[in-house]
Amino acid sequence: MAFRGWPVEAIEFFEGLEADNSKAYWTDNKATYERCVRAPMEALLAELAPVHGEGRIFRPNRDVRFSRDKSPYKTNIGATLAAGGYVSLSADQFGVGTGYYTMAKDQLERYRAAVVDDDEGPALQALVDRLRAADLEISAHDILKTAPRGFPRDHPRIELLRMKGLIAWRSWEIGAWLESEEPVARASAFLETAQPLMTWLDEKVGPSELEGVWG
């Protein structure tokens, strides 16, 4: 099925879920979720797959075992792409991201070594600057308040050293454009622009080599 956009019912579904995050609401509106939320996401992922790899949609249920918030359902639909992309839709925004969301200990060691390297570090900083100039947000899920142990607080790339992951992200406010093929165009353009960051991470950091660590 070709992607034709998300109907307004998808946004209304999430607005209702935010107001009533309960099993009763989910059960009563599951058909709307499947038809108006999940099916379009599957179609969008299929459009992106030839270039960015197969997609996988996250389950809608939240893991509440260690959370004070016991709301059972996520108020967005999110999916990953095999080549490293991430796509999300909520009642407020459509967003696309890429990069290393978190890093294992050995990945962090390689990342920090590259950041302080006299050649690789400036190259990464220049790349980050270019992506920010293109209106991409460069950040991390977890950022230290100060320099990591063993690194000077006044290092010229201290911002990058404090990050425990490295991601590019861009989001757009909800609008009528969602009911068209525009989300595919915006996601594709973002992923193409951000690809150099993913390439740098794959080449300089790579997957963890620690036993039992995924990614």
Side-chain angles (χ1 to χ4, degrees):
M1 180 182 71
F3 180 77
R4 294 291 183 263
W6 274 284
V8 67
E9 288 86 355
I11 306 307
E12 292 172 346
F13 169 84
F14 283 122
E15 289 174 341
L17 185 61
E18 289 179 357
D20 181 12
N21 197 313
S22 67
K23 185 176 182 180
Y25 176 88
W26 184 269
T27 300
D28 290 344
N29 294 276
K30 185 177 180 180
T32 299
Y33 168 81
E34 295 290 345
R35 183 181 70 256
C36 300
V37 179
R38 185 181 177 91
M41 175 64 90
E42 291 174 342
L44 181 142
L45 295 176
E47 297 268 4
L48 297 174
V51 176
H52 304 289
E54 294 297 315
R56 182 180 70 85
I57 299 176
F58 292 130
R59 62 198 302 266
N61 304 78
R62 295 181 62 250
D63 184 353
V64 300
R65 291 173 299 173
F66 309 107
S67 174
R68 293 182 179 180
D69 180 2
K70 300 302 181 182
S71 302
Y73 301 103
K74 300 170 185 173
T75 54
N76 77 306
I77 182 170
T80 57
L81 294 159
Y86 173 75
V87 184
S88 173
L89 176 73
S90 69
D92 301 316
Q93 65 179 16
F94 172 72
V96 190
T98 193
Y100 284 19
Y101 190 66
T102 60
M103 295 184 193
K105 182 179 179 180
D106 59 333
Q107 290 176 302
L108 265 178
E109 290 173 353
R110 293 193 293 271
Y111 168 71
R112 289 168 177 166
V115 170
V116 299
D117 183 86
D118 290 340
D119 294 320
E120 297 300 338
L124 175 60
Q125 185 65 66
L127 172 58
V128 166
D129 293 343
R130 288 197 301 273
L131 295 180
R132 285 176 169 163
D135 292 328
L136 274 61
E137 177 185 348
I138 305 298
S139 187
H141 172 64
D142 192 6
I143 301 177
L144 296 174
K145 293 182 179 180
T146 187
R149 184 176 299 177
F151 295 89
R153 296 184 180 183
D154 60 350
H155 191 278
R157 292 178 292 280
I158 187 61
E159 179 195 18
L160 294 174
L161 282 173
R162 289 169 51 223
M163 295 180 180
K164 300 181 71 174
L166 190 61
I167 56 174
W169 173 258
R170 187 168 185 184
S171 62
W172 298 267
E173 292 183 0
I174 298 303
W177 61 273
L178 276 171
E179 300 178 63
S180 69
E181 299 176 7
E182 184 66 17
V184 173
R186 296 193 186 192
S188 296
F190 167 88
L191 292 169
E192 180 179 354
T193 301
Q195 181 58 46
L197 180 65
M198 195 68 194
T199 299
W200 188 93
L201 287 167
D202 286 341
E203 292 179 352
K204 309 305 177 184
V205 179
S208 175
E209 299 172 1
L210 298 177
E211 184 176 355
V213 174
W214 179 88

